[in-house]
Amino acid sequence: MNGTTEVNAGSATSGAHSLDNTSGSTEGNAQILRALELIHDPRSSNVLRQDASRYLEQMRSQPEAPYLGYILADNKSHPAISRHYGLSLLEYAVQHRWTDYTAEQSKALRDWTLKLAESVSRDDPLFIRNKIAQLWVDIAKVSWGLDWADMDELLVRLWQGSLTQKEFVLLILETLSDDSFGREDVNTGLRGNELNKACVEIFTPADILAHHFPTREKGLNVRFGEDGWILRISNLLSWCNEQGHTNEELQNCTIRALSVLRSVAGWAILKALKSTRCIHHVINSLLAHDGRTQLVGQLPIPKMLNLELTSTQAAVEALYMIYNRPRFSDEDIQDLVWPMYDQATVGVLKQVYAMSSVDVNDMDQEKYLLSKKFSEVIHNIGRFLEEKPTLFINCIDVNPFLDLLLQILQHQSLHVSIPVLHLWVKLLDSDAVGNSPMVMNLIAPLLETCSQRLLRYEALPEDSNIPSIIYLNEDVDTTPERHAFLGNYARFCNQVVQSIVAKRPFDAIHHILSQADQVISNLYDGESAFDVQTYAKVSVPSLKLDAQLSVVEAALKGYSRWSAKSLSIELVPRSTAPLRIQTKQSQDPQREAMTLELQTWSLKLMDLTLEDPSMKQRIVQTAVEFAASSLKHHVAFIHRVFNFIIDTRAVRQLENGVLSESVKELHSFCIHQLQRLALRSFDELILIHDHIQRKIEEFCTVCNLDRQDRMRCSSLLFIIAQRATGIDDAQREQQLHGFVQPLIQEWQSPELSTALNSFSGFCDLLGLNGLSQYFESRNLHQVSDWPGYPLDEEGKVLQAQIQNALEKLPLHPTKTLMSVSIEKVQYGSRAHKVACDLWSSVPPVVLPNLLQLISRAHSFHNPMNWTDLPPEMRGVVGRILTDRFWQVGISTGSRIDFYARVGGSKSSMEGLASTIRAALRTVRETGYRLLFCMSLLGNDLYGYDELPGPLSKALFEESCSLSTHQTSMLVDMIHPVIANCPTDRRSQFLPPIMSAMFSQLDQKVSTEWERIEERNRAASADDSLTEEMRDESILRQLTFTSVTMVVGLLDPNRISPSTRTRFNQGAKANKLYKDPREEAMHGSSSNAPPSRVESPLREFILRTPDVLKPIILFCTHALRMHDTRSCGLITRVLRSITPEFSGETPMVSDVREFISTEVFKACITSINDPYFVDTQNDLAGLTACILTHYSGRTDTPRQILLSLPDMTPELVDSTMKRMFRAQYNSRQQKSIILKLLEGVRGISISEQGRMPKPDTKKIRSALHENYMTVDAEPKTHKDPSPDLSGVAGMFG
């Protein structure tokens, strides 16, 4: 580097002008050193420490700061912390003031950095070397390839020095690669494409580059030499491997070389990896270690964390990145993937796998992390076998690799095994691989492993000594994550069993049934017998039974898959009975034997005598699976299943509340399974119609069912009558109308209409009359402990009165029949036509009173309607209507404890409040469900011209009085009602509803966020956070639900799920653990077939001002709501609609001006808010979109920018010109905006240099994140919201 980079301080500063002030440098350095000493001296007072911090912060913006920083950093006699501060002064100058410097000043900064780099030695602390390397890269990002052309040559010359210098060069290269291709960095974004091209240029060997890009532009030449850095690093890695890592320098150099290859592997030309033998050297590094095992962080490895990585771990990270790339050509697979299947290579991989094994009782966290990462590497390598089987089968020997896959699958940690389990699912689904002899040889251990793991691990106690549970406790923190992960794991195991049975049905099923027989015969071995007094819902015997029946059900699905492929079934028309089946191979003795074995086994299962209600439930479920799959056309068997279910019951044991509740659940579950059976076997069940009718009457009487469950039972006959083919149309109509007409008469009851004309009449109707007097006479507003306040006789009478009154309403019976008739049928089918004909006249009859019910239920939540309560007691209303929830990570105690508390408070004042809440929730949500069902009738609902106004009023007039969670349920309901509206009815039906909905939603959500923020600002350290965290979590849920609906309506790139299923999915997503007695009053939800395809609602909304304006207003406010997910989605929606308003019509002009003003301000305000640091790129993208599309039409965005502090017309105009030049490069546009707003945007903790130590439990790759789905916002420390009062003044 002599002559090129040796620049002494004097020559370096001779042209620096204002960058240095040599006369004051000594004094300035002394003051800086004194300030640093005060900050780090434990004897300093807080006042002195704060004054010193302010001085050092102000020093960064002084003209002489860069030179003072260089002097401090270059003087190795100074403490390391002082040198680090000096480097931070240089860093600030490069990152924030580079554009202010002249060419000479910029060169001085660069020369100082090169001088510091040249002097790096082993004695320098690692964080100093890291900081110098980062400073080098920061300068490269703003000047390399522009006025700095010899950077590569300087690096090569440094490379020729000691191992320490090589390691330093490697650190620069890794940082340069990571920043250029991985980070959303402002300076990188401004020159992203240029830096990317330059990196490819210097890393790739010249011959490979010439071959791949023969016509590439030859502008400013940035490379030096022909080798390229991939080759140089590969050669260094080879040399280090040969030396055996005998000292720390060799070890560190190897790790750093592998880290660079890890960074480069994601974008390098694959031929370069092959030509440099990169893979070979990385594999050799896997076992070239010194026996230590240390922590490997997630990619990319943080530079500021001093993590010493063993070569094995670093090599695994490099292999992960290489084989995680999405696209490999056939030639690339042969060059880079085939070697990984070689027997010698697999031998090395097996040694690494063995080396990473840990003792579950004395877990080494770092080795365990290595095991999980290694499993992902094997998954990435194995995916090529599934994607391109023809390149492997009969070309290379894959048996050693498949054996490794099986070993990893059998690992006791479910997190280690799940990537490979997922791969086995894909391999078995591939005909080319799954049917190959090499896979068939592994069928037995695969089936054994997956069968054993179809255990409900989530039901096992967390303190279990089962190894899989111990590992699971290390990997998962929250219950939702635990359930999501275990659900995915069970699904994959289920799919493996299905695939194996589909390939080897007779052998596999015989083995599975034999295993199940053995386990079921010994369920209580080693366990206590069933005891009424000690009964628990979850027990070891019930888990054993559940696991075996899960395997059997998976086998049934696999057998059905095999049957569908191997057998062509021709059904005799269903107009005659009994049902017959004709098959091309009807005399197949093997198939007949299998059918007989399945039938015999299932009958034996149904004959089991078990007292546990949960076990009975499980057997009922499996019996229906048999009837719905392999034995679905066996009439006698289906009749046997029906009789088995209808006769399955248990006596309620009132002395044991848990057992009594389980018996009730069993009866409800049997009704549900009978409905499932009827929906699939209606033609078989019509043959015993009269028998079914008698058995239902008997079941209802013996089990003492209420009206709701009686109607659910009767719905079996309704389902059969609607769907059965062997029934006369006139008879069908007569039977169906026999169910519906009594309900219509109830809805037309004059007493019902009269009661709903007033709020007091509604209260009388629901048995709520007398509540005010009761609460007032007990001075309830002075009672704090409601669960501890026992109900007297009058209170118990009130409670029973409410329950009885609710049962008399026609809500539940109507919902039950409409749901099973219209939701469960395919659109356009004969059954669908029958349902539409049946219900076509119902909406005008039912809706007047239904809407009144919903409206009154909403108004009940408004304390102002409780006029007979004195003002001081109206606060009691809010407490009565506050739902009880249990939320993971927020509520104290476990979910079981919560249910126990709820059950124990049944006869208390809290129990009475719970009954009131349940009644109102039933009215609201059953009413919502009926509206949804009616929306599936098409014009029979939407053609009702008088409906939109009353519907809008009923749903939204008092909706702001609802709680946050209740509003979420309303949003879930209304979305499919909007989406199902026929195109020709939209202009008449939707505007009043959508306008009122978004106006009220905007008011509700905005008000709640203001309340949360105000409470957070006023919070003290002594406050209990449980309630605040719960409220904020539910508010985030409502915000996200609302935003998701907007995305579904307006995002042109969104592929929405079926509108017919969205209501149920939404309800499930918003489901919290509620008071079970409140839930008991609700019917179950179910999915429905896909709906018809309509033209997009987006076009209608964008051309309808009454709908568009409240939506845009809501979106504008959503940009300021402290929910990262919602803000990111809203920016995407607003970016998609912004170009639509570039025209000149009056409506377009009004919307454009609103976006240019309010949306633009909201973006800038959020960019200023530190909370939105992670969303700044999205906000900057929206800001850029508004500027580029509207600047030619309005000057408003420019004027708003000029109103910001320190903005000049020249700066704004030059920025806008750069924006237009980069209009096809969104990444660059975002960086331009963030650079412009650098003085006002929020700064992340990482940018400030304060990075928290990562929690090893939270370190997960993208692959493992795919196996966990959590709806809730991640738990974070609750910081008070920043004071943004100064931001509001920026727009003055």
Side-chain angles (χ1 to χ4, degrees), residues 35-296:
L36 289 168
E37 182 182 348
L38 285 172
I39 289 174
H40 293 92
D41 188 344
R43 295 169 298 180
S44 300
S45 67
N46 285 336
V47 174
L48 283 176
R49 191 174 287 112
Q50 291 168 3
D51 288 343
S53 297
R54 278 193 294 270
Y55 170 77
L56 294 177
E57 186 72 19
Q58 294 168 0
M59 177 57 65
R60 297 193 307 173
S61 57
Q62 298 302 312
E64 66 274 14
Y67 178 67
L68 291 175
Y70 166 67
I71 295 299
L72 282 171
D74 190 48
N75 191 337
K76 297 195 177 187
S77 65
H78 287 319
I81 193 67
S82 301
R83 296 180 62 198
H84 188 271
Y85 176 76
L87 291 171
S88 71
L89 292 178
L90 288 168
E91 180 184 52
Y92 183 86
V94 173
Q95 291 184 354
H96 301 285
R97 304 188 63 191
W98 185 267
T99 55
D100 299 333
Y101 295 143
T102 65
E104 289 182 340
Q105 291 172 334
S106 299
K107 184 177 184 302
L109 273 173
R110 185 166 64 242
D111 288 343
W112 291 335
T113 301
L114 299 179
K115 181 71 173 177
L116 293 171
E118 184 191 30
S119 64
V120 164
S121 67
R122 175 57 55 184
D123 296 332
D124 291 322
L126 181 59
F127 69 91
I128 293 293
R129 284 178 271 160
N130 286 347
K131 195 73 170 177
I132 296 173
Q134 184 65 59
L135 183 59
W136 179 302
V137 173
D138 285 341
I139 293 177
K141 288 189 289 191
V142 294
S143 66
W144 182 37
L146 297 174
D147 57 356
W148 187 15
D150 64 342
M151 186 190 80
D152 195 38
E153 181 180 353
L154 298 176
L155 289 173
V156 172
R157 292 186 179 179
L158 272 177
W159 183 258
Q160 295 166 356
S162 65
L163 280 177
T164 299
Q165 289 177 306
K166 283 183 170 62
E167 185 183 343
F168 179 72
V169 172
L170 290 169
L171 181 57
I172 292 175
L173 293 172
E174 182 187 2
T175 306
L176 180 64
S177 172
D178 286 347
D179 285 8
S180 298
F181 289 91
R183 289 184 59 193
E184 287 292 336
D185 173 78
V186 173
N187 287 330
T188 304
L190 291 172
R191 298 189 60 226
N193 290 340
E194 299 170 23
L195 291 175
N196 293 351
K197 291 178 181 178
C199 285
V200 173
E201 183 83 26
I202 67 170
F203 274 90
T204 310
D207 56 337
I208 300 294
L209 202 61
H211 175 74
H212 273 262
F213 304 106
T215 60
R216 73 184 192 280
E217 297 179 11
K218 299 242 180 28
L220 185 62
N221 188 13
V222 294
R223 75 175 291 136
F224 178 78
E226 297 293 309
D227 291 347
W229 284 106
I230 295 178
L231 179 58
R232 295 187 189 104
I233 295 169
S234 295
N235 290 339
L236 173 66
L237 192 57
S238 175
W239 180 79
C240 289
N241 289 337
E242 291 172 0
Q243 303 306 307
H245 305 176
T246 53
N247 58 54
E248 185 178 358
E249 273 195 313
L250 283 171
Q251 176 80 354
N252 291 338
C253 220
T254 300
I255 293 168
R256 190 55 63 190
L258 289 166
S259 297
V260 180
L261 292 178
R262 183 268 312 157
S263 177
V264 170
W267 53 264
I269 298 172
L270 290 175
K271 284 291 182 291
L273 302 182
K274 193 256 182 183
S275 68
T276 58
R277 302 195 70 206
C278 172
I279 304 292
H280 173 77
H281 300 314
V282 172
I283 292 171
N284 286 342
S285 300
L286 282 169
L287 296 179
H289 60 89
D290 63 356
R292 294 178 298 166
T293 306
Q294 296 155 327
L295 175 65
V296 180

Side-chain angles (χ1 to χ4, degrees), residues 749-811:
S749 165
E751 292 81 5
L752 179 62
S753 301
T754 302
L756 292 173
N757 283 334
S758 65
F759 180 76
S760 60
F762 170 77
C763 293
D764 291 342
L765 184 68
L766 255 65
L768 300 172
N769 52 321
L771 282 180
S772 299
Q773 295 82 354
Y774 181 77
F775 292 151
E776 188 175 0
S777 65
R778 271 66 176 177
N779 291 319
L780 201 58
H781 62 293
Q782 297 177 1
V783 178
S784 58
D785 182 17
W786 284 17
Y789 189 100
L791 279 180
D792 52 23
E793 287 304 316
E794 185 179 350
K796 293 177 181 178
V797 170
L798 271 174
Q799 194 174 43
Q801 176 182 300
I802 295 169
Q803 293 169 338
N804 293 334
L806 182 65
E807 190 173 322
K808 293 177 182 178
L809 291 177
L811 280 166

